[in-house]
Amino acid sequence: MSWPEGYGRLVLAQVDSTNAEAARRAPGLAGPEWILARAQSAARGRRGRAWAMPEGNFAATLVMRLDEPPEHRALRSFVAALALFDAVGALVGDDAGLALKWPNDVLLNGGKLAGILLESLGPHLAIGVGVNLIAAPGAGQVEPGALRPVSLLGETGVRVGPEAMLEALAGAYAAREAAFVTYGFGAIRTAWLARAMGIGAVATARTARDETTGTFETVDEAGHLVLKTAKGRVAIAAADVFF
């Protein structure tokens, strides 16, 4: 897949985190740019958690200027997840073991292969992507109850380098972004739900303040998780989800 027109590319040997680097570079960018780092010293996941990055794994951020309301920007999490699904399937030659987990994970054979972190940077949005290409963190490096981490190499035997992953992801993202801009969230939502883990299963959505348990029904038009509970349907904007 060729590099998408209009997207910049920057490859660095090491940074603290690609999202932090995106924040530093965003004001000077003329257009959307992918920033890839071969090593990170202070990688982060959701809610400020540390993100382990063994050598050979993938860490990159797409930074782009978006003059949109925050709730519309947040839907890029689904765009990015679909693009990751597309890219990994293309690199491996098979997407049968892949699935998407709300709000921002890509799964392989039931384990967590990749995560996505969105951060607003004033008028810019940073979409950070981490993929366990070569090695997965140990079970002790994830919170209790979380899905087991897996690597692409460990699950498929396919070895993919970070730059090959970036090439595939950038092309896949550009295609999904174009569909989002042209047709809106409806088409993205339908495609995401077709690849979603756990529809019809019991799930617990946990925030810092409370938790809600119910049957995972759908994702609504705002990107919220919809659970059917004993008290009725509940739409959840942000949470960690456990099946």
Side-chain angles (χ1 to χ4, degrees):
M1 182 178 289
S2 60
W3 188 260
E5 185 177 356
Y7 286 75
R9 170 169 41 184
L10 176 65
V11 178
L12 301 170
Q14 181 167 340
V15 295
D16 46 0
S17 82
T18 55
N19 271 27
E21 186 67 18
R24 290 188 286 267
R25 292 181 180 268
L29 295 178
E33 177 136 330
W34 281 99
I35 301 170
L36 172 71
R38 295 191 181 94
Q40 292 188 114
S41 59
R44 292 174 288 112
R46 293 183 70 241
R47 304 186 192 279
R49 301 186 185 108
W51 177 273
M53 187 185 166
E55 184 178 355
N57 281 359
F58 179 83
T61 295
L62 172 62
V63 57
M64 55 200 306
R65 185 181 178 97
L66 294 170
D67 297 316
E68 299 174 351
E71 62 272 17
H72 196 258
R73 284 183 172 202
L75 299 176
R76 292 303 192 304
S77 143
F78 297 91
V79 179
L82 280 169
L84 258 178
F85 186 103
D86 296 341
V88 173
L91 288 166
V92 174
D94 182 8
D95 63 12
L98 294 168
L100 301 176
K101 178 177 177 287
W102 189 93
N104 57 5
D105 293 337
V106 178
L107 312 183
L108 178 57
N109 298 336
K112 180 172 176 175
L113 174 70
I116 298 163
L117 175 65
L118 268 62
E119 292 185 325
S120 287
L121 309 172
H124 291 82
L125 177 69
I127 305 173
V129 179
V131 185
N132 300 326
L133 293 178
I134 303 300
Q141 293 177 272
V142 298
E143 65 181 307
L147 292 174
R148 66 186 177 96
V150 299
S151 72
L152 189 66
L153 179 62
E155 295 297 311
T156 68
V158 177
R159 183 180 291 271
V160 174
E163 293 193 45
M165 181 75 238
L166 179 63
E167 187 101 3
L169 177 57
Y173 184 89
R176 291 291 184 180
E177 173 72 17
F180 179 53
V181 170
T182 303
Y183 303 111
F185 183 57
I188 294 294
R189 174 177 173 265
T190 297
W192 190 95
L193 286 169
R195 296 158 176 79
M197 168 197 180
I199 293 178
V202 174
T204 296
R206 186 177 301 157
T207 70
R209 293 176 297 176
D210 55 27
E211 62 179 48
T212 303
T213 298
T215 302
F216 175 20
E217 281 199 339
T218 190
V219 168
D220 68 15
E221 291 77 6
H224 298 162
L225 178 76
V226 178
L227 297 180
K228 182 180 180 181
T229 75
K231 297 180 180 180
R233 298 172 85 241
V234 178
I236 297 164
D240 291 320
V241 177
F242 302 86
F243 288 93

